[in-house]
Amino acid sequence: MSKDFLTPTALPLTPIERRIYAHDNVGELAPFTFEMLILEFDHRYARTDLIAAITDVLTNHPVFTAQFETHTGGAVTRHDTGQTPLVMHEAANLDFIRAHAAYHSPDLTNHPAYADLWPNDSTGQILTLVLHPILGDDATFETIETALWAALDLRNAPDALPAPAADPQTQNARNIWRELMNNHQVARLPHRYVTNDQVTPTSKRLTHQITLPPQVSSFVGDDGMAAPLVAALGIVLSRYGAQDALRFAVALPPHTADRRSTDLRPVCLTPDLTAPFGNAVHLATHALTAAQPVSSETLVQDQLAHADADPYPMGAISLYLRPRRDLPEGICHHQRPMPCSAEELVLTAEDTPQGIVIHADADAAMFEPDLIDRFLQHLQRVLRSGLDQPALPVGRMPLIADAELDTLSAPYPDGTPIDQRATHEIIAAHARTTPDKIAVICGADRLTHSQLDAHANALAHRLHAAGVKAETPVAILIERGAAAITAILAVLKAGGAYIPVEPDHPSSRNHHILTDAGVAVVLTRRSFRDRLPKGLAAQIICLDDLDDAPRSDAPDVRIHPDQLAYVMYTSGSTGKPKGVAVEHGPLSHHNQATARVYEMSAESRELPFLPFSSDGGHERWMVPLMVGGSVVIPDGPLWTPEQTLGAMREHGCNNASIPTTYLQQLAEWAEDTGTAPPMRLYSFGGEGLAQSTFDLLSSALNANTLINGYGPTETIMTPMVWKVAAGTRFQGTYAPLGRAVGNRRVYVLDEEMMPCPQSVVGEIYLGGTGVARGYVGQPQVTADRFIPDPFGPALDGTSGARLYRTGDQGRWREDGTVEFVGRVDLQIKINGYRIEPGEIEAALLGEPDVTEALVLLREDGTAKRLIGYVTGPAAGNEDTLRRALESKLPKHMLPEAVVVLDKMPTNPNAKLDRAALPLPEMRSRQTQGVAAASKSEKQVLTLWRDLLGLPDLGVTDNFFAMGGSSLLALKAIVGMRKQWQNVPLTVADFFDAPTVRGICERITQGGQTGRNAITLRASGTRPRLYCFPGLLVSTREYLRLTDYLGPDQPVTGFLCHSLNEEKQLNVSVSDVVADYVDHIRRESAGAPVAFLGWSWGGLLAWEAARQLQNEVDLKMLGMVDVCDLGTDFSPGVAPFFAPGELARLEADLQTWLARTQMRAQWDQLINAMDPECYLQFLRFIGNEAEPLPFDGPEISSREHTFWVLIDNALVFRQHKLMPLDVPVASFSAGDSLSRGLNLMDWRKWSARATPAEIVSGTNHLHIIGDPAFHDRFRMRLNAAFTAS
Amino acid sequence: MTQPNETQILWRVLRNCEGRYSIARVTHLIPEGWTPVGADAPRTICMDRIAELWTDMRPLSVQEAVA
């Protein structure tokens, strides 16, 4: 601010005061609120003494004498000339008093502070003080109290503290902070899941608090609260967010606080989870004194200079520290102000006589309330651990109590006693109880329970005679069907372990399986013999060769529960498939528990579609037979949906199990034809199941119950299920995994094997008895993946139990079920951020037409590329999709490219085949550039090739798609205009015809160029939105907003005149706008329209509205960060020069003018200045830190920009704004308020203008591209268009 | 958190009552039912030890029953 207004009695505002003033000026104080203090004095304080003391303070304390004056150009000064009266009242109770105080509305013109005194119902007095936030906060109230105690002779006033060191806004301090802040990521708690249609921002907050118990309070508070609390917060946030280097904001109590002084500083930590708590405290102490404090306003402005700044530049989490405030005897607080709710989570730690109270204030839209509550508990637990176990590494501090872990990890409740028989024994029992009931249907084959048992017995005896006994591996190379099931049961009855081998699988895979496990016997058919490896050392038994008579007795074989039942080979994403060995006991228990969870009975008839090479496929025939039901097996591997649904109907199935990849086809067919038979239950699983697919299943498949199953082969078939009624919607990217089944537990653990809090992503581990023995012949890999279970002993009393490390990422949801997030080995870490592909996938799934989405980090040589794959939209939409993501995701999460596929590639096991996903071309053309066909094309092509640095460029290539920016486009225009001097050529022409061929056509045809408006979107039924450009702004800046507003919103952008080659000096605002007005008149006379003006464009839009009154139906005038002239050039503000300074500046000016190439234009401009303006110009030059530029006259040069700014100031100076009766929606960037820019308050110019909406986390330049702004703007536009 | 050199983290080989083997970091408490086998060592050494010792992956109960 110019020093012209400062005098000894007129003080400048501090940065925070300036910002609050700006907020008040545009009509939106939030997040600041009125600050209220309520003190009660008991009977020992005589009323007259009290009144005298209070009056003394009201007269002398700067808070109560403050007055503010605004000067031309927006400068504000603070004076000591105000008065705050003490208002006396009659007796009242506390509630009434509080309500009365809450009703006060402090303002900056007359009444910034209120003081009221009330006799209480009992014999005391109550004093209420209400301040406008510009005057102070809680720390300021403390100084007021101190003055009050002194006036009451209770305590001496403290010695005047030295004035605080001036804010070292030195570049060096700022650089240090910027580097620190850029190297540490903003820490935040997990946000609740929201879908696109849930976005209605509210300012609702939720609050929780805890009081630390006495020993913990002492531990924290004895040496100063700051370091232990910061340490604990750092540890908990690290466990919540798994960031290596994180930051949040801390406000220490200020040294002096006559004025509003509490300020946040960033605390940057790199927690060491292997070190004990003391070390964390040490780090915290260091972080709190890391660098010289710089005001948060300055730090935020620095951060917001970059478009990809976090929307909470100081941090999403703040911690305010409030030391003990001892009041004199007989005085108590009834109300103290809390810090403003500016961050996602605001924590206040206060030292009270009851202990340290930690209060949390959180954005209600972002967080589950229970999350905040748990977070506070975890904070307390960490402090308690730090006290009780000082040597414990902080990464090993438990956040979750045992009782909580018990509940979270628990399986579906199941009290039924376990049947100790093996699977095949339970199945065989039905041969006696329901012998003639159909057990298996496959094609034309029918087997009753007794037939199945008898055939299996016969084969079992043969196997027994062939030497099969306990632990003997027997391969079954038979197609899925009745014979395969019979063979499997036979192997089990003989005591062996079966290994299913899919005849149609690649021979290399099958050969590996057949030789890996030491297979002793192979059961197969003659037709498959040639698929066996040559020289296999095993007995080969072909079913075709057998004609043993069925028998009712099984071989006399005792099955030990720990002996092998089967070995199934994993699909193995890397290396050779491994054989997973599963024992009888766990298998049988699993099947029994599953039968109960699926509520199956003898009535069950299931159609299992899963292949026999997956263990889930076997579960789905074993379980129905175990309960005495039946199964319908597809004959042939590739049934169509029509066949599948037909079979279900024909055979009266009531259950079906389908792999997820096939389910989409089945459901789509069912939806198209309406042929889904009614079913009790569908189960599926295998990959992440998206909401859209799940919804389709619910609506199309006519089922009561849906089960999403999950589980690696190593944890036996389907260890976890999510079982819900059809039509249930879930919150999340993928359908949840649910809970464990049977004697199992599921855990979500971090890298230290500590349980993760709910919502925090970790790795899924499965424990209990339902895990495999391990990998055949691979003791090391087995030991690596099956690890000792640390929780079993405490939770279940088990001993020597194991956990299987799944390699899948997941988290516990609010309801305690588990959600799948992605694969650990596909986890993506870029620049210190851990990226959840699921989030990006969810954003893609939210786009129209997209049915499936997958995001991966692909290796391309040495480069790693984040690529998104989708199915659904037509090919060619890649760029649109990617642009859509720009408005939904932070920059570091944007995939480099999006690839559209017809369908996701799958491997023979019907699982996703990641390796088969194509890599997109690097940004380059598919075909060779088309050559020039004429002289003009050749000239232009050469020019463009030069500018873009692309020697291969063709005449049909799109300038912008090939990497051209708006600035390069301007240079291209300059070049082309040299060749065609009489043809007007603008950026708008470029936009419409961004190819060499296209633009040459226009030039040579004549009369087609010189447009001053760009159609950003032509189509749509809504009223057209006209966008008026800021100074030196390319209309392309409005592209993102246009995309966001969607295909039904037509948008036109006007060109900025300053970007034209011709410099027309001193054009008035109305002249500048005349062209635009003509265009609007031609296009939209009489029609409803909306205007949007950004910065200088706002004034242009206002003038256009004025010129077009009654000619168009203006529904809304959107004003975005529109500023009035600052003090530099406001008329009536005489600048101040030190003695001799004016002459020196004039000499400097002349020297500079002699050197510049824009001399003629500068002379023109200076000659147009009136004397006062000329002096302001010299003052402006004198204030510039950098030397004057003379790199003009190119449009991109600093000098050109400078000239345009001064020219614009001259135009602005002469312009008189008139009131208009138009509806105005105004928006201000948070950073502009922070800088105290002289933002316009449109309520002064139109009665239909509302207070400004403040978009924080962005600045003047970036607001137009900011997603938060887009969202708000769209809401206002919708409201304006629907209001009639 | 800076990752200490891989060879500096020590692990131990564990065996449970069924005769199954596994591996865990020395900074983690040994869960009930598991006993250490051999000295603490870097991970690769531990893995080598497991390859030597765990030749029969059948649990002890099965080994006894079959014998």
Side-chain angles (χ1 to χ4, degrees):
Chain A
M1 182 186 77
S2 156
K3 298 192 188 66
D4 310 325
F5 306 105
L6 302 181
T7 70
T9 53
L11 304 172
L13 300 191
T14 62
I16 185 68
E17 288 170 0
R18 190 68 190 86
R19 177 166 160 227
I20 296 175
Y21 194 93
H23 273 253
D24 191 272
N25 198 40
V26 298
E28 180 55 85
L29 262 188
F32 304 101
T33 56
F34 302 132
E35 314 272 7
M36 190 192 308
L37 181 75
I38 302 183
L39 287 166
E40 177 167 348
F41 303 81
D42 72 7
H43 56 273
R44 77 190 79 181
Y45 296 95
R47 186 174 159 85
T48 44
D49 292 342
L50 205 49
I51 293 175
I54 296 171
T55 311
D56 186 303
V57 172
L58 292 179
T59 314
N60 292 309
H61 195 291
V63 162
F64 299 109
T65 60
Q67 259 194 325
F68 300 88
E69 192 183 334
T70 322
H71 306 271
T72 329
V76 184
T77 48
R78 178 176 172 141
H79 306 259
D80 226 357
T81 47
Q83 272 182 5
T84 306
L86 176 64
V87 178
M88 321 283 191
H89 298 269
E90 303 281 307
N93 67 30
L94 182 58
D95 286 337
F96 184 85
I97 294 170
R98 201 193 297 269
H100 187 276
Y103 192 69
H104 284 316
S105 190
D107 63 74
L108 292 181
T109 39
N110 299 316
H111 227 144
Y114 287 85
D116 296 83
L117 187 64
W118 308 73
N120 199 12
D121 279 352
S122 45
T123 54
Q125 307 282 324
I126 291 188
L127 170 67
T128 69
L129 299 173
V130 180
L131 305 181
H132 189 285
I134 203 173
L135 294 176
D137 57 11
D138 183 66
T140 319
F141 276 133
E142 190 172 3
T143 69
I144 292 171
E145 287 171 1
T146 310
L148 203 46
W149 314 153
L152 286 169
D153 272 332
L154 297 173
R155 293 178 187 166
N156 292 329
D159 297 324
L161 287 161
D167 176 3
Q169 304 211 29
T170 62
Q171 199 54 45
N172 193 42
R174 288 160 69 178
N175 288 344
I176 292 175
W177 277 110
R178 192 177 320 112
E179 177 152 352
L180 256 182
M181 289 165 81
N182 287 347
N183 289 339
H184 293 77
Q185 313 308 346
V186 168
R188 31 176 50 93
L189 292 185
H191 292 176
R192 63 159 31 140
Y193 180 84
V194 281
T195 53
N196 279 349
D197 45 354
Q198 282 176 272
V199 183
T200 30
T202 63
S203 46
K204 274 194 65 184
R205 311 285 293 188
L206 54 93
T207 60
H208 276 282
Q209 70 179 50
I210 54 169
T211 305
L212 301 178
Q215 314 101 302
V216 183
S217 291
S218 316
F219 173 65
V220 170
D222 280 353
D223 255 338
M225 285 192 289
L229 284 175
V230 166
L233 186 54
I235 292 165
V236 177
L237 289 175
S238 179
R239 300 276 293 265
Y240 264 76
Q243 290 154 317
D244 295 344
L246 55 88
R247 63 181 171 89
F248 47 89
V250 171
L252 301 167
H255 288 301
T256 56
D258 274 5
R259 293 162 76 162
R260 192 180 180 106
S261 312
T262 314
D263 198 15
L264 289 169
R265 73 164 67 196
V267 167
C268 304
L269 294 172
T270 308
D272 181 355
L273 295 178
T274 61
F277 190 72
N279 179 268
V281 173
H282 184 72
L283 279 176
T285 308
H286 183 74
L288 284 165
T289 51
Q292 233 185 337
V294 172
S295 83
S296 60
E297 300 301 316
T298 306
L299 293 178
V300 169
Q301 287 166 22
D302 263 6
Q303 288 285 307
L304 291 180
H306 304 283
D308 55 359
D310 193 286
Y312 293 88
M314 286 296 284
I317 298 175
S318 61
L319 169 66
Y320 287 79
L321 296 162
R322 295 190 167 178
R324 185 87 61 107
R325 198 136 115 196
D326 279 323
L327 298 177
E329 295 267 326
I331 305 180
C332 69
H333 282 132
H334 284 298
Q335 181 110 358
R336 263 172 73 184
M338 292 301 275
C340 60
S341 303
E343 291 78 35
E344 291 181 7
L345 173 65
V346 178
L347 298 168
T348 309
E350 189 183 331
D351 191 357
T352 75
Q354 292 74 38
I356 294 189
V357 177
I358 302 183
H359 180 272
D361 167 288
D363 187 321
M366 280 183 185
F367 301 111
E368 300 282 349
D370 288 347
L371 178 86
I372 303 295
D373 184 38
R374 288 192 301 265
F375 170 76
L376 289 175
Q377 299 297 331
H378 297 159
L379 203 53
Q380 178 171 269
R381 214 162 273 144
V382 163
L383 289 166
R384 168 65 78 179
S385 292
L387 167 64
D388 291 344
Q389 299 177 281
L392 185 65
V394 298
R396 308 281 306 154
M397 287 177 169
L399 294 183
I400 300 184
D402 276 353
E404 228 185 307
L405 186 61
D406 189 13
T407 313
L408 286 174
S409 62
Y412 282 95
D414 182 1
T416 312
I418 295 285
D419 184 337
Q420 297 300 344
R421 292 176 292 172
T423 300
H424 59 279
E425 292 166 345
I426 299 176
I427 292 177
H430 293 287
R432 286 184 289 289
T433 51
T434 55
D436 301 318
K437 184 170 176 197
I438 296 287
V440 180
I441 297 173
C442 182
D445 296 339
R446 299 280 180 281
L447 286 175
T448 62
H449 280 202
S450 66
Q451 285 170 330
L452 175 62
D453 193 49
H455 283 118
N457 284 337
L459 184 52
H461 278 279
R462 177 167 288 269
L463 290 171
H464 186 72
V468 172
K469 56 189 201 306
E471 304 276 320
T472 307
V474 177
I476 301 184
L477 183 65
I478 298 175
E479 79 291 347
R480 177 177 62 182
I485 292 180
T486 310
I488 291 169
L489 290 173
V491 172
L492 296 175
K493 285 166 182 280
Y498 78 91
I499 305 180
V501 184
E502 196 78 66
D504 292 335
H505 276 192
S507 55
S508 58
R509 178 185 160 86
N510 286 351
H511 287 197
H512 170 72
I513 293 173
L514 288 164
T515 49
D516 182 61
V519 159
V521 177
V522 178
L523 283 174
T524 186
R525 294 190 190 285
R526 283 219 209 101
S527 49
F528 295 139
R529 283 208 66 151
D530 57 354
R531 302 187 198 203
L532 298 171
K534 301 266 180 294
L536 180 63
Q539 277 187 70
I540 312 218
I541 300 179
C542 293
L543 297 184
D544 325 57
D545 296 337
L546 302 175
D547 64 354
D548 304 316
R551 46 200 289 189
S552 57
D553 61 318
D556 183 20
V557 165
R558 252 199 71 244
I559 306 290
H560 190 286
D562 293 343
Q563 85 184 60
L564 269 192
Y566 65 74
V567 178
M568 288 215 210
Y569 279 75
T570 62
S571 41
S573 43
T574 52
K576 288 197 153 62
K578 298 189 283 285
V580 176
V582 171
E583 297 161 356
H584 266 285
L587 173 63
S588 182
H589 299 175
H590 164 77
N591 285 334
Q592 294 170 44
T594 299
R596 286 190 286 276
V597 169
Y598 285 51
E599 292 174 79
M600 298 180 71
S601 66
E603 305 305 315
S604 297
R605 171 165 289 192
E606 180 151 340
L607 189 143
F609 204 81
L610 302 160
F612 270 17
S613 51
S614 81
D615 57 353
H618 293 267
E619 176 193 288
R620 299 323 310 163
W621 65 258
M622 287 178 178
V623 172
L625 293 182
M626 283 166 82
V627 292
S630 52
V631 291
V632 176
I633 310 283
D635 60 338
L638 287 168
W639 269 9
T640 62
E642 191 176 2
Q643 283 173 295
T644 310
L645 293 177
M648 288 180 197
R649 189 176 309 107
E650 183 190 336
H651 300 296
C653 296
N654 45 37
N655 272 20
S657 46
I658 320 267
T660 312
T661 42
Y662 184 67
L663 212 40
Q664 175 93 7
Q665 292 176 51
L666 190 68
E668 280 170 8
W669 174 268
E671 187 177 57
D672 290 342
T673 58
T675 52
M679 300 279 273
R680 266 197 58 247
L681 182 142
Y682 272 91
S683 62
F684 39 83
E687 290 296 330
L689 185 66
Q691 178 82 67
S692 51
T693 313
F694 188 76
D695 286 346
L696 182 61
L697 302 179
S698 281
S699 63
L701 287 181
N702 203 356
N704 287 337
T705 306
L706 298 175
I707 290 191
N708 184 32
Y710 160 84
T713 312
E714 292 89 336
T715 50
I716 307 181
M717 297 171 166
T718 317
M720 289 187 69
V721 303
W722 185 61
K723 170 179 158 189
V724 289
T728 307
R729 305 208 85 230
F730 55 85
Q731 300 261 300
T733 314
Y734 301 120
L737 307 181
R739 296 193 174 286
V741 171
N743 191 3
R744 293 188 178 89
R745 285 191 177 267
V746 62
Y747 301 97
V748 177
L749 307 178
D750 65 17
E751 281 161 9
E752 277 292 320
M753 299 267 302
M754 300 296 294
C756 294
Q758 283 156 280
S759 290
V760 175
V761 175
E763 187 168 353
I764 298 174
Y765 287 72
L766 284 158
T769 56
V771 296
R773 174 186 289 182
Y775 301 105
V776 169
Q778 308 245 18
Q780 291 171 321
V781 183
T782 305
D784 176 49
R785 306 295 304 205
F786 293 82
I787 57 184
D789 179 355
F791 312 110
L795 298 180
D796 294 324
T798 59
S799 173
R802 296 167 299 144
L803 288 183
Y804 175 69
R805 188 157 58 92
T806 64
D808 287 324
Q809 284 183 290
R811 66 180 134 221
W812 271 305
R813 305 156 81 231
E814 282 300 307
D815 66 2
T817 58
V818 174
E819 180 183 338
F820 176 75
V821 169
R823 290 281 312 162
V824 166
D825 54 16
L826 297 177
Q827 178 185 321
I828 298 169
K829 222 165 178 164
I830 294 181
N831 296 331
Y833 289 99
R834 178 169 72 182
I835 295 181
E836 308 296 353
E839 260 188 87
I840 309 175
E841 286 160 6
L844 284 167
L845 286 168
E847 288 301 303
D849 293 337
V850 175
T851 51
E852 290 170 83
L854 181 68
V855 171
L856 299 174
L857 194 67
R858 300 298 307 277
E859 308 249 346
D860 185 8
T862 50
K864 289 195 191 248
R865 305 168 65 192
L866 188 65
I867 312 282
Y869 296 92
V870 298
T871 62
N877 275 311
E878 281 89 346
D879 278 334
T880 318
L881 281 171
R882 197 185 172 286
R883 268 223 304 268
L885 291 182
E886 279 178 16
S887 63
K888 289 187 187 180
L889 299 171
K891 217 168 181 153
H892 67 267
M893 284 179 75
L894 290 175
E896 180 203 299
V898 176
V899 176
V900 172
L901 302 169
D902 290 331
K903 63 184 191 67
M904 296 289 182
T906 53
N907 68 14
N909 274 354
K911 285 199 183 223
L912 184 67
D913 185 354
R914 290 197 163 89
L917 291 162
L919 277 171
E921 304 281 331
M922 294 296 259
R923 256 224 285 180
S924 62
R925 295 163 294 103
Q926 315 292 74
T927 58
Q928 185 63 16
V930 177
S934 68
K935 182 154 157 279
S936 16
E937 281 191 3
K938 197 153 170 27
Q939 284 177 312
V940 176
L941 187 60
T942 313
L943 171 68
W944 285 25
R945 280 179 173 173
D946 249 349
L947 281 173
L948 288 170
L950 293 174
D952 287 341
L953 189 74
V955 296
T956 51
D957 292 324
N958 181 306
F959 183 86
F960 298 107
M962 299 309 286
S965 65
S966 307
L967 201 58
L968 279 181
L970 288 176
K971 292 190 175 175
I973 290 177
V974 168
M976 290 190 292
R977 297 201 61 196
K978 287 202 178 86
Q979 287 160 7
W980 288 280
Q981 288 175 359
N982 296 323
V983 177
L985 199 57
T986 65
V987 168
D989 304 319
F990 223 88
F991 241 68
D992 285 345
T995 65
V996 171
R997 178 148 293 169
I999 206 151
C1000 280
E1001 267 171 24
R1002 291 196 175 211
I1003 292 174
T1004 47
Q1005 270 177 40
Q1008 300 269 337
T1009 58
R1011 314 249 313 280
N1012 65 0
I1014 298 181
T1015 306
L1016 293 162
R1017 187 186 301 284
S1019 65
T1021 61
R1022 286 155 61 107
R1024 181 166 288 273
L1025 175 67
Y1026 289 96
C1027 298
F1028 294 78
L1031 214 52
L1032 294 167
V1033 159
S1034 160
T1035 315
R1036 277 177 64 85
E1037 302 286 342
Y1038 288 112
L1039 252 183
R1040 267 202 211 167
L1041 176 63
T1042 307
D1043 279 346
Y1044 186 85
L1045 291 173
D1048 197 28
Q1049 177 60 60
V1051 182
T1052 295
F1054 290 118
L1055 284 194
C1056 173
H1057 278 218
S1058 60
L1059 292 179
N1060 276 349
E1061 262 292 280
E1062 305 143 357
K1063 298 263 160 306
Q1064 282 180 283
L1065 178 66
N1066 235 349
V1067 174
S1068 69
V1069 172
S1070 42
D1071 287 344
V1072 166
V1073 163
D1075 276 343
Y1076 304 153
V1077 164
D1078 275 341
H1079 180 107
I1080 298 173
R1081 213 176 256 137
R1082 277 198 308 273
E1083 202 170 55
S1084 301
V1089 295
F1091 290 175
L1092 169 60
W1094 170 29
S1095 184
W1096 168 244
L1099 293 161
L1100 299 180
W1102 190 262
E1103 174 62 15
R1106 188 189 71 78
Q1107 291 189 19
L1108 282 166
Q1109 279 181 87
N1110 302 321
E1111 289 186 64
V1112 290
D1113 179 13
L1114 181 55
K1115 293 292 193 188
M1116 182 177 108
L1117 183 33
M1119 298 299 218
V1120 182
D1121 229 45
V1122 183
C1123 301
D1124 203 344
L1125 265 182
T1127 51
D1128 297 312
F1129 287 102
S1130 285
V1133 179
F1136 170 80
F1137 296 94
E1141 194 184 7
L1142 179 55
R1144 183 173 61 73
L1145 287 173
E1146 275 200 285
D1148 286 344
L1149 177 61
Q1150 294 307 319
T1151 317
W1152 174 64
L1153 284 176
R1155 296 179 66 180
T1156 167
Q1157 293 187 354
M1158 289 179 68
R1159 179 67 192 256
Q1161 290 101 321
W1162 281 114
D1163 280 342
Q1164 249 192 327
L1165 203 54
I1166 291 169
N1167 287 337
M1169 295 178 187
D1170 67 42
E1172 180 191 72
C1173 184
Y1174 180 64
L1175 287 176
Q1176 289 177 326
F1177 180 56
L1178 287 173
R1179 179 70 271 159
F1180 186 80
I1181 294 178
N1183 289 344
E1184 276 293 298
E1186 312 234 347
L1188 292 170
F1190 43 88
D1191 55 346
E1194 249 209 60
I1195 287 181
S1196 54
S1197 69
R1198 279 181 52 226
E1199 189 184 358
H1200 178 265
T1201 306
F1202 184 38
W1203 189 94
V1204 166
L1205 281 175
I1206 303 297
D1207 174 52
N1208 181 252
L1210 291 192
V1211 172
F1212 203 160
R1213 266 177 124 249
Q1214 293 164 4
H1215 183 60
K1216 286 266 178 299
L1217 210 61
M1218 309 278 281
L1220 283 181
D1221 180 29
V1222 284
V1224 178
S1226 91
F1227 302 85
S1228 301
D1231 182 74
S1232 304
L1233 296 167
S1234 169
R1235 289 176 190 269
L1237 294 187
N1238 194 12
L1239 290 166
M1240 300 222 50
D1241 179 11
W1242 290 101
R1243 296 173 298 170
K1244 295 196 181 80
W1245 301 97
S1246 168
R1248 293 202 275 158
T1250 55
E1253 289 195 46
I1254 297 180
V1255 184
S1256 56
T1258 188
N1259 69 6
H1260 184 75
L1261 272 182
H1262 300 135
I1263 185 172
I1264 209 69
D1266 186 79
F1269 164 69
H1270 294 165
D1271 193 51
R1272 309 269 202 92
F1273 184 76
R1274 179 181 56 180
M1275 289 214 303
R1276 297 297 293 270
L1277 209 57
N1278 289 350
F1281 287 165
T1282 49
S1284 52
Chain B
M1 179 181 79
T2 46
Q3 291 294 351
N5 197 321
E6 272 302 318
T7 54
Q8 289 167 9
I9 307 178
L10 292 181
W11 294 70
R12 49 169 83 101
V13 173
L14 297 170
R15 185 179 60 212
N16 72 359
C17 43
E18 295 170 305
R20 307 190 206 257
Y21 285 79
S22 190
I23 186 172
R25 273 172 271 190
V26 299
T27 47
H28 296 190
L29 292 172
I30 301 179
E32 199 166 306
W34 293 85
T35 39
V37 178
D40 300 346
R43 201 163 199 267
T44 44
I45 310 279
C46 289
M47 280 302 192
D48 291 343
R49 194 181 304 150
I50 287 177
E52 281 169 45
L53 295 173
W54 204 7
T55 46
D56 185 348
M57 291 179 73
R58 297 174 300 169
L60 292 173
S61 54
V62 172
Q63 293 182 31
E64 282 156 27
V66 166

